[in-house]
Coordinates of all heavy atoms in Angstrom, one line a residue:
L13 N 6.4 109.0 -120.8 CA 6.0 110.4 -120.8 C 6.5 111.0 -122.1 O 5.8 111.8 -122.8 CB 6.6 111.1 -119.6 CG 6.3 112.6 -119.6 CD1 4.8 112.9 -119.6 CD2 6.9 113.3 -118.4
A14 N 7.8 110.8 -122.5 CA 8.3 111.4 -123.7 C 7.6 110.9 -125.0 O 7.2 111.7 -125.9 CB 9.8 111.0 -123.9
A15 N 7.2 109.6 -125.0 CA 6.4 109.1 -126.1 C 5.1 109.7 -126.2 O 4.6 110.2 -127.2 CB 6.3 107.6 -126.0
L16 N 4.4 109.8 -125.0 CA 3.1 110.5 -125.0 C 3.1 111.9 -125.4 O 2.2 112.4 -126.1 CB 2.5 110.3 -123.5 CG 2.1 108.9 -123.2 CD1 1.6 108.9 -121.7 CD2 1.0 108.4 -124.1
L17 N 4.1 112.7 -124.9 CA 4.2 114.1 -125.3 C 4.4 114.2 -126.7 O 3.7 115.1 -127.4 CB 5.3 114.7 -124.5 CG 5.1 115.0 -123.0 CD1 6.4 115.6 -122.4 CD2 4.0 116.0 -122.8
S18 N 5.3 113.5 -127.3 CA 5.6 113.7 -128.8 C 4.4 113.2 -129.6 O 4.0 113.9 -130.6 CB 6.9 112.9 -129.1 OG 6.8 111.6 -128.7
M19 N 3.9 112.0 -129.3 CA 2.8 111.5 -130.1 C 1.5 112.4 -129.9 O 0.8 112.6 -130.8 CB 2.5 110.0 -129.7 CG 3.6 109.1 -130.1 SD 3.1 107.4 -130.0 CE 2.8 107.2 -128.3
G20 N 1.3 112.8 -128.7 CA 0.1 113.7 -128.4 C 0.2 115.0 -129.2 O -0.8 115.5 -129.7
A21 N 1.4 115.6 -129.2 CA 1.6 116.8 -129.9 C 1.4 116.7 -131.4 O 0.7 117.5 -132.0 CB 3.0 117.4 -129.7
Y22 N 1.8 115.6 -131.9 CA 1.7 115.3 -133.4 C 0.2 115.1 -133.7 O -0.4 115.7 -134.7 CB 2.5 114.1 -133.8 CG 2.4 113.9 -135.3 CD1 3.0 114.8 -136.2 CD2 1.9 112.7 -135.8 CE1 3.0 114.5 -137.6 CE2 1.9 112.5 -137.2 CZ 2.4 113.4 -138.0 OH 2.4 113.1 -139.4
C23 N -0.5 114.3 -132.9 CA -1.9 114.1 -133.1 C -2.8 115.4 -132.9 O -3.7 115.6 -133.6 CB -2.5 113.0 -132.1 SG -1.8 111.4 -132.5
L24 N -2.4 116.2 -131.9 CA -3.1 117.5 -131.7 C -2.9 118.4 -132.9 O -3.9 119.0 -133.3 CB -2.6 118.1 -130.5 CG -3.2 119.5 -130.1 CD1 -4.6 119.3 -129.8 CD2 -2.4 120.0 -128.8
A25 N -1.7 118.5 -133.5 CA -1.5 119.3 -134.6 C -2.4 118.8 -135.8 O -3.0 119.5 -136.5 CB 0.0 119.3 -135.0
L26 N -2.4 117.4 -136.0 CA -3.2 116.9 -137.1 C -4.7 117.2 -136.9 O -5.4 117.5 -137.9 CB -2.9 115.4 -137.2 CG -1.7 114.9 -137.9 CD1 -1.6 113.4 -137.8 CD2 -1.7 115.3 -139.4
A27 N -5.1 117.1 -135.7 CA -6.5 117.3 -135.4 C -6.9 118.8 -135.7 O -8.0 119.0 -136.3 CB -6.9 116.9 -134.0
V28 N -6.1 119.7 -135.2 CA -6.4 121.1 -135.5 C -6.3 121.4 -137.0 O -7.1 122.2 -137.5 CB -5.4 122.0 -134.7 CG1 -5.6 123.4 -135.1 CG2 -5.6 121.8 -133.2
H29 N -5.4 120.8 -137.7 CA -5.2 121.0 -139.1 C -6.2 120.3 -139.9 O -6.4 120.6 -141.1 CB -3.8 120.5 -139.5 CG -3.4 120.8 -140.9 ND1 -3.2 119.8 -141.9 CD2 -3.2 122.0 -141.6 CE1 -2.9 120.4 -143.0 NE2 -2.9 121.7 -142.8
G30 N -7.0 119.4 -139.3 CA -8.0 118.6 -140.1 C -7.4 117.5 -140.9 O -7.9 117.0 -141.9
G31 N -6.2 117.0 -140.5 CA -5.5 115.9 -141.2 C -5.9 114.6 -140.8 O -6.4 114.3 -139.7
Y32 N -5.7 113.6 -141.7 CA -6.1 112.2 -141.5 C -5.2 111.7 -140.3 O -4.1 112.0 -140.2 CB -5.7 111.4 -142.7 CG -6.1 109.9 -142.7 CD1 -7.3 109.5 -143.0 CD2 -5.1 109.0 -142.2 CE1 -7.6 108.1 -142.9 CE2 -5.4 107.7 -142.1 CZ -6.7 107.2 -142.4 OH -7.0 105.9 -142.3
P33 N -5.8 110.9 -139.4 CA -7.1 110.3 -139.4 C -8.1 111.1 -138.6 O -9.2 110.6 -138.3 CB -6.9 108.9 -138.7 CG -5.8 109.3 -137.7 CD -4.9 110.3 -138.4
F34 N -7.8 112.3 -138.3 CA -8.7 113.2 -137.4 C -9.6 114.1 -138.3 O -10.4 114.8 -137.7 CB -7.8 114.0 -136.4 CG -6.9 113.1 -135.6 CD1 -5.6 113.0 -135.9 CD2 -7.4 112.4 -134.6 CE1 -4.7 112.3 -135.2 CE2 -6.6 111.6 -133.8 CZ -5.2 111.5 -134.1
G35 N -9.3 114.1 -139.6 CA -10.1 115.0 -140.5 C -10.0 114.5 -141.9 O -9.5 113.4 -142.2
G36 N -10.6 115.2 -142.8 CA -10.7 114.8 -144.2 C -9.5 115.1 -145.0 O -9.4 114.7 -146.2
R37 N -8.5 115.9 -144.5 CA -7.3 116.3 -145.3 C -6.3 115.0 -145.4 O -5.8 114.6 -144.4 CB -6.7 117.5 -144.7 CG -5.6 118.1 -145.6 CD -4.9 119.2 -144.8 NE -5.8 120.3 -144.4 CZ -6.1 121.4 -145.2 NH1 -5.5 121.5 -146.3 NH2 -6.9 122.3 -144.7
S38 N -6.1 114.6 -146.5 CA -5.2 113.4 -146.7 C -3.8 113.7 -146.4 O -3.3 114.9 -146.5 CB -5.3 112.8 -148.1 OG -4.3 111.8 -148.3
R39 N -3.0 112.7 -145.8 CA -1.6 112.8 -145.6 C -0.8 112.4 -146.7 O 0.4 112.5 -146.7 CB -1.2 112.0 -144.3 CG -1.8 112.5 -143.0 CD -1.3 111.6 -141.9 NE 0.1 111.5 -141.7 CZ 0.9 110.5 -142.0 NH1 0.3 109.4 -142.5 NH2 2.2 110.5 -141.9
A40 N -1.5 111.9 -147.7 CA -0.7 111.2 -148.8 C -0.1 112.2 -149.8 O -0.4 112.2 -151.0 CB -1.6 110.2 -149.6
V41 N 0.9 113.0 -149.3 CA 1.6 113.9 -150.1 C 2.8 113.2 -150.7 O 3.4 112.4 -150.1 CB 1.9 115.2 -149.3 CG1 0.6 115.9 -148.8 CG2 2.9 114.9 -148.2
N42 N 3.2 113.8 -151.9 CA 4.4 113.4 -152.6 C 4.6 111.9 -152.5 O 3.7 111.1 -152.9 CB 5.6 114.1 -151.8 CG 6.9 114.2 -152.6 OD1 6.9 113.7 -153.7 ND2 7.9 114.8 -152.0
D43 N 5.8 111.4 -152.2 CA 6.0 109.9 -152.2 C 5.2 109.1 -151.3 O 5.2 107.8 -151.4 CB 7.5 109.7 -152.1 CG 8.3 110.0 -153.3 OD1 7.7 110.3 -154.4 OD2 9.6 110.0 -153.2
L44 N 4.7 109.7 -150.2 CA 3.8 108.9 -149.3 C 2.6 108.3 -150.1 O 2.2 107.2 -149.9 CB 3.4 109.8 -148.2 CG 2.4 109.1 -147.1 CD1 3.2 108.0 -146.4 CD2 2.0 110.1 -146.1
G45 N 2.0 109.2 -151.0 CA 0.9 108.7 -151.8 C 1.4 107.9 -153.0 O 0.7 106.9 -153.4
N46 N 2.5 108.3 -153.6 CA 2.9 107.7 -154.8 C 3.6 106.3 -154.6 O 3.6 105.5 -155.5 CB 3.9 108.6 -155.6 CG 3.1 109.7 -156.3 OD1 2.0 109.5 -156.8 ND2 3.7 110.9 -156.3
Q47 N 4.3 106.2 -153.5 CA 5.1 105.0 -153.2 C 4.7 104.2 -152.0 O 4.4 103.0 -152.1 CB 6.6 105.3 -153.1 CG 7.4 105.6 -154.4 CD 8.8 105.9 -154.2 OE1 9.2 106.8 -153.6 NE2 9.6 104.9 -154.7
F48 N 4.7 104.9 -150.9 CA 4.7 104.1 -149.6 C 3.4 103.6 -149.2 O 3.3 102.5 -148.7 CB 5.3 105.0 -148.5 CG 6.6 105.7 -148.9 CD1 6.8 107.0 -148.7 CD2 7.6 104.9 -149.5 CE1 8.0 107.6 -149.1 CE2 8.8 105.5 -149.9 CZ 9.0 106.8 -149.7
I49 N 2.3 104.3 -149.5 CA 1.0 103.7 -149.3 C 0.8 102.5 -150.3 O 0.3 101.5 -149.8 CB -0.1 104.8 -149.4 CG1 -0.1 105.7 -148.2 CG2 -1.5 104.1 -149.5 CD1 -1.1 106.8 -148.2
P50 N 1.1 102.7 -151.6 CA 1.0 101.5 -152.4 C 1.8 100.3 -152.0 O 1.4 99.2 -152.1 CB 1.4 102.0 -153.8 CG 1.0 103.4 -153.8 CD 1.3 103.9 -152.4
F51 N 3.0 100.6 -151.5 CA 3.9 99.5 -151.1 C 3.4 98.8 -149.8 O 3.5 97.6 -149.7 CB 5.4 100.0 -150.9 CG 6.2 100.0 -152.2 CD1 6.6 101.2 -152.7 CD2 6.5 98.9 -152.8 CE1 7.4 101.2 -153.8 CE2 7.3 98.9 -154.0 CZ 7.7 100.1 -154.5
H52 N 2.8 99.6 -148.9 CA 2.1 99.0 -147.8 C 0.9 98.2 -148.2 O 0.6 97.1 -147.5 CB 1.8 100.0 -146.7 CG 3.0 100.5 -145.9 ND1 3.9 101.3 -146.4 CD2 3.4 100.1 -144.7 CE1 4.9 101.5 -145.4 NE2 4.6 100.8 -144.4
A53 N 0.2 98.6 -149.2 CA -0.9 97.8 -149.7 C -0.4 96.5 -150.2 O -1.0 95.4 -150.1 CB -1.7 98.6 -150.8
R54 N 0.7 96.6 -150.9 CA 1.4 95.3 -151.4 C 1.8 94.4 -150.3 O 1.6 93.2 -150.3 CB 2.6 95.6 -152.2 CG 3.5 94.5 -152.6 CD 2.9 93.7 -153.7 NE 3.7 92.6 -154.1 CZ 3.4 91.8 -155.2 NH1 2.3 91.9 -155.8 NH2 4.3 90.8 -155.5
L55 N 2.3 95.0 -149.2 CA 2.6 94.2 -148.0 C 1.4 93.5 -147.4 O 1.4 92.3 -147.0 CB 3.3 95.1 -147.0 CG 3.7 94.4 -145.7 CD1 4.7 93.2 -145.9 CD2 4.4 95.4 -144.7
W56 N 0.3 94.2 -147.4 CA -0.9 93.6 -146.9 C -1.3 92.5 -147.8 O -1.7 91.4 -147.3 CB -2.1 94.7 -146.9 CG -3.3 94.3 -146.3 CD1 -3.7 94.6 -145.0 CD2 -4.4 93.4 -146.8 NE1 -5.0 94.0 -144.8 CE2 -5.4 93.3 -145.9 CE3 -4.6 92.8 -148.0 CZ2 -6.6 92.5 -146.0 CZ3 -5.7 92.0 -148.2 CH2 -6.7 91.9 -147.2
D57 N -1.2 92.6 -149.1 CA -1.5 91.5 -150.0 C -0.6 90.2 -149.7 O -1.1 89.1 -149.7 CB -1.3 91.9 -151.5 CG -2.4 92.9 -151.9 OD1 -3.5 92.9 -151.3 OD2 -2.2 93.7 -152.8
L58 N 0.7 90.5 -149.5 CA 1.6 89.4 -149.2 C 1.2 88.8 -147.9 O 1.3 87.5 -147.8 CB 3.0 89.9 -149.1 CG 3.6 90.4 -150.5 CD1 5.0 91.1 -150.3 CD2 3.8 89.2 -151.4
L59 N 1.0 89.5 -146.9 CA 0.6 88.9 -145.6 C -0.7 88.1 -145.6 O -0.9 87.1 -144.9 CB 0.5 90.0 -144.5 CG 1.8 90.8 -144.1 CD1 1.5 92.0 -143.2 CD2 2.7 89.8 -143.4
H60 N -1.6 88.5 -146.5 CA -2.9 87.8 -146.6 C -3.0 86.8 -147.7 O -4.0 86.2 -147.9 CB -4.0 88.8 -146.6 CG -4.2 89.6 -145.4 ND1 -5.2 89.3 -144.4 CD2 -3.6 90.7 -144.9 CE1 -5.1 90.1 -143.4 NE2 -4.2 91.0 -143.6
G61 N -1.9 86.7 -148.5 CA -1.9 85.7 -149.6 C -2.8 86.1 -150.7 O -3.3 85.1 -151.4
T62 N -3.0 87.3 -151.0 CA -4.0 87.7 -152.1 C -3.3 88.3 -153.3 O -3.9 89.0 -154.1 CB -5.0 88.8 -151.5 OG1 -4.2 89.9 -151.1 CG2 -5.8 88.2 -150.4

Side-chain angles (χ1 to χ4, degrees):
L13 176 61
L16 289 175
L17 286 175
S18 55
M19 293 190 298
Y22 186 64
C23 291
L24 179 59
L26 278 174
V28 174
H29 186 248
Y32 181 88
F34 306 101
R37 191 187 299 268
S38 174
R39 293 179 60 251
V41 298
N42 201 1
D43 284 349
L44 182 60
N46 282 325
Q47 282 186 293
F48 309 132
I49 288 176
F51 276 116
H52 280 78
R54 171 73 176 185
L55 179 59
W56 191 98
D57 291 334
L58 289 171
L59 291 173
H60 290 265
T62 60

